[in-house]
Each structure stands twice: as C-alpha cells, then as structure tokens.
C-alpha cells in the first residue's frame, strides 16, 4: 500500500478531519502519514514589548527548516488564521514555498494549500489588486474550506498520482541505496555514493542535470538495442 505524507500547520488539532481523510485514502489503497506542526506549542511563542504572548515567526521558520526542509511531503497544508495579529497562514506558507524553491529543498516538490473555516471573510481581506497579485505569484494548489478539508485534501492527494516527476523519481530510487559507490558510465560521478549523486540532482547542479540527460540517452540506446529496431 502506498504512503501519502501530509504536513499540516495549525494552532489547533483537526483530528476528526484527519481521521476522515485517512479512511478515504485507505479505501483507495493509500496509507496516510501525517505530521502536525502545532503553533500553540510554547516553543513557538514569545512576549512582545507589551508582554503580550505572540507567535515567534523566526523560531517557526528555523524549526521548519531544520526538521522538514528535506522531507518528502506530498502536501503542506496550513490554516489561514492562527489567532495572531502578526502572523497568518498565507504569510508562513508563502515563505515555506519560496524558501524551498530558492534553496532547492526537497519540500519544494510538495503541493501547498491553505484552509479556513471563514473563506468568505478571508477572500474579502485579500480582495485588493496587490493581494490578488501576491496570490497569483504564490501559485498555491488550493484554498480549502476547513469543513470540507478531508474531501479536498483527498482530491489533492490523488491528483499528483496522475503526474510524473522524473528527477524526483530518480532521487527516490538512488536514496534506497545511499551507500553504494558509483564507478562507471558517467566519469564525473566516479567514486561518489548514490546519496551524493541524488543530492546533485536534487539541487539542480550542472553535473546532476547532465547526468540525467546522459541516463536518458543510455536508456534509449539500450531500449533500441533490446528491441532490435531497424534504421
């Protein structure tokens, strides 16, 4: 049975929605592996100049970078409203997605979505030319009604199974045998472990890109030979 991985960010648990999602996925042949980033945890809080307890965005970002940046999550979902006047889900999700992309973190392969129990209210808040431009640039995969979270997340989980990412697929297979040493076919990688090669591909480094092109050429050449195609 395939495993689907969810990271959800909230300041309240959403156990009933998660359990409904788990059941829906199981009926379709998937196991759910969920990770909850609880922003109500004391380690993510600080006191402002008026001694009011607020979210510490710096600590949250550091925790995400240290613990989740190189994880293979299928979906990263965040509540919009953290009950904090200084930080909201849109702000945090924007940072996660942009940082993952710019730093070539593994997390960039995930789908990103916001959810809210007050969608109409949020839409009104975002209804300005500048905010619309920001939403378009962020390119989140969905903005979900919290009350329909299980159904909409299920649809998002199933959808990527119809897509194919060659680089990610190759990285996943190389990391099944991380300590094996590469010796031939591509001289620039001679002596490197398969985990090191996966890293070069993951970071879109020149040799990693060239290696993938070379691998495709070798595969097609082998395919032609096996099928004894005629010129």
């Amino acid at each position: 049975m395939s495993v689907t991985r969810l990271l959800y960010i909230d300041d309240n648990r959403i156990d009933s929605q998660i359990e409904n999602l788990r059941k829906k996925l199981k009926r379709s042949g998937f196991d759910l592996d969920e990770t909850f980033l609880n922003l109500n945890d004391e380690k993510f809080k600080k006191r402002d100049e008026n001694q009011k307890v607020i979210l510490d965005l710096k600590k949250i970002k550091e925790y995400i970078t240290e613990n989740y940046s190189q994880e293979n999550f299928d979906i990263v979902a965040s509540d919009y409203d953290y009950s904090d006047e200084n930080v909201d889900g849109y702000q945090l999700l924007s940072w996660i997605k942009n940082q993952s992309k710019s730093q070539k973190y593994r997390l960039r392969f995930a789908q990103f979505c916001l959810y809210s129990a007050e969608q109409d209210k949020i839409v009104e808040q975002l209804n300005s030319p500048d905010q619309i431009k920001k939403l378009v640039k962020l390119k989140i995969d969905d903005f979900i009604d919290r009350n329909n979270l299980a159904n909409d997340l299920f649809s998002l989980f199933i959808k990527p199974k119809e897509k194919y990412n060659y680089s990610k697929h190759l990285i996943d297979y190389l990391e099944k045998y991380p300590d094996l040493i590469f010796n031939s076919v591509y001289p620039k990688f001679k002596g490197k472990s398969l985990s090191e090669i996966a890293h070069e591909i993951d970071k879109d480094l020149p040799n990693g890109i060239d290696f993938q092109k070379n691998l495709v050429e070798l595969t097609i050449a082998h395919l032609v030979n096996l099928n004894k195609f005629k010129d």
Side-chain angles (χ1 to χ4, degrees), residues 46-218:
K46 66 178 181 180
R47 291 186 180 274
D48 64 14
E49 61 274 12
N50 298 315
Q51 295 304 303
K52 180 181 178 181
V53 177
I54 62 173
L55 287 175
D56 189 329
L57 187 56
K58 181 180 179 182
K59 289 180 181 178
I60 297 170
K61 288 179 177 180
E62 288 175 350
Y63 187 87
I64 291 172
T65 301
E66 291 173 7
N67 293 276
Y68 304 135
S69 61
Q70 298 302 339
E71 292 293 317
N72 286 313
F73 287 106
D74 295 287
I75 293 177
V76 177
S78 175
D79 188 19
Y80 182 89
D81 186 5
Y82 299 146
S83 301
D84 187 291
E85 60 186 24
N86 300 301
V87 184
D88 61 44
Y90 171 77
Q91 180 183 354
L92 183 56
L93 203 68
S94 298
W95 177 83
I96 295 172
K97 183 166 185 178
N98 292 330
Q99 186 76 357
S100 298
K101 185 177 180 180
S102 65
Q103 298 300 316
K104 306 295 184 185
Y105 291 148
R106 192 72 52 82
L107 195 57
R108 74 187 188 276
F109 292 120
Q111 296 187 91
F112 295 85
C113 67
L114 283 168
Y115 58 86
S116 174
E118 299 180 298
Q119 276 190 319
D120 293 341
K121 178 181 175 181
I122 304 305
V123 168
E124 287 181 8
Q125 293 176 1
L126 298 176
N127 192 18
S128 73
D130 287 342
Q131 291 291 356
I132 296 299
K133 286 180 182 179
K134 288 179 181 179
L135 277 176
V136 170
K137 287 182 179 180
L138 180 58
K139 295 181 180 177
I140 62 171
D141 293 281
D142 208 343
F143 185 22
I144 296 171
D145 184 340
R146 190 186 185 110
N147 298 318
N148 200 41
L149 194 65
N151 290 330
D152 288 348
L153 283 182
F154 172 76
S155 297
L156 272 180
F157 271 123
I158 298 302
K159 185 178 179 180
K161 310 305 175 185
E162 302 169 0
K163 300 178 182 178
Y164 179 69
N165 187 312
Y166 172 72
S167 294
K168 185 176 185 300
H169 194 177
L170 183 56
I171 290 167
D172 289 344
Y173 265 88
L174 289 172
E175 291 193 336
K176 287 184 178 180
Y177 314 97
D179 299 323
L180 294 183
I181 302 301
F182 191 83
N183 290 312
S184 61
V185 181
Y186 189 75
K188 292 179 181 178
F189 281 164
K190 181 176 175 62
K192 286 185 177 291
S193 68
L194 296 193
S195 180
E196 290 174 319
I197 295 173
H199 175 77
E200 298 234 2
I201 295 171
D202 190 28
K203 293 294 184 180
D204 287 336
L205 296 175
N207 285 340
I209 294 171
D210 190 50
F211 173 71
Q212 292 175 83
K213 293 178 180 177
N214 186 258
L215 199 58
V216 170
E217 292 170 1
L218 288 172

Side-chain angles (χ1 to χ4, degrees), residues 13-68:
R13 299 196 68 89
I14 52 173
D15 293 337
S16 61
Q17 293 96 323
I18 294 297
E19 189 56 33
N20 288 338
L21 175 61
R22 190 189 313 281
K23 291 176 181 177
K24 289 180 69 67
L25 285 168
K26 201 167 190 67
R27 287 195 292 269
S28 296
F30 299 99
D31 277 334
L32 176 64
D33 177 9
E34 82 273 15
T35 299
F36 174 39
L37 178 57
N38 185 1
L39 297 187
N40 205 29
D41 194 311
E42 289 300 319
K43 66 173 172 279
F44 297 130
K45 296 180 179 180
K46 66 178 181 180
R47 291 186 180 274
D48 64 14
E49 61 274 12
N50 298 315
Q51 295 304 303
K52 180 181 178 181
V53 177
I54 62 173
L55 287 175
D56 189 329
L57 187 56
K58 181 180 179 182
K59 289 180 181 178
I60 297 170
K61 288 179 177 180
E62 288 175 350
Y63 187 87
I64 291 172
T65 301
E66 291 173 7
N67 293 276
Y68 304 135

